[in-house]
Amino acid sequence: MPLKILLVEDEPALLLTLSEALTEAGHSVTRCAVGSVAAGLLRDAVFDLLVTDIRLPRVDGCTLAGLARDRPVPIPVVL
């Protein structure tokens, strides 16, 4: 079953590689390189999974994981 994934990674090469692999596996991937932008996406959109780096500019991955957990329907997180 395809997932709608929010992928957050500040290293461009890794963001592209992971995004391509997840897309080739049949998933819908929204890419983001900045934690504060990802926080807004978590508030405004629906995702099945959050995959995030821990160290990010502005808002870190642990904070994003907390936002995903605190949604009415919690989003699973891979750090």
Side-chain angles (χ1 to χ4, degrees), residues 46-61:
V46 176
F47 296 97
D48 300 309
L49 178 66
L50 168 64
V51 178
T52 182
D53 189 1
I54 293 175
R55 293 186 192 122
L56 295 164
R58 299 189 186 110
V59 175
D60 66 20

Side-chain angles (χ1 to χ4, degrees), residues 6-74:
L6 176 58
L7 174 62
V8 189
E9 172 57 62
D10 59 335
E11 292 185 35
L14 189 52
L15 181 63
L16 180 62
T17 301
L18 291 172
S19 176
E20 288 175 348
L22 292 167
T23 300
E24 287 176 14
H27 303 294
S28 172
V29 179
T30 300
R31 295 184 288 182
C32 187
V34 179
S36 58
V37 173
L41 290 170
L42 283 171
R43 282 190 297 270
D44 298 336
V46 176
F47 296 97
D48 300 309
L49 178 66
L50 168 64
V51 178
T52 182
D53 189 1
I54 293 175
R55 293 186 192 122
L56 295 164
R58 299 189 186 110
V59 175
D60 66 20
C62 292
T63 301
L64 293 176
L67 292 173
R69 181 194 65 226
D70 292 340
R71 291 184 50 100
V73 176

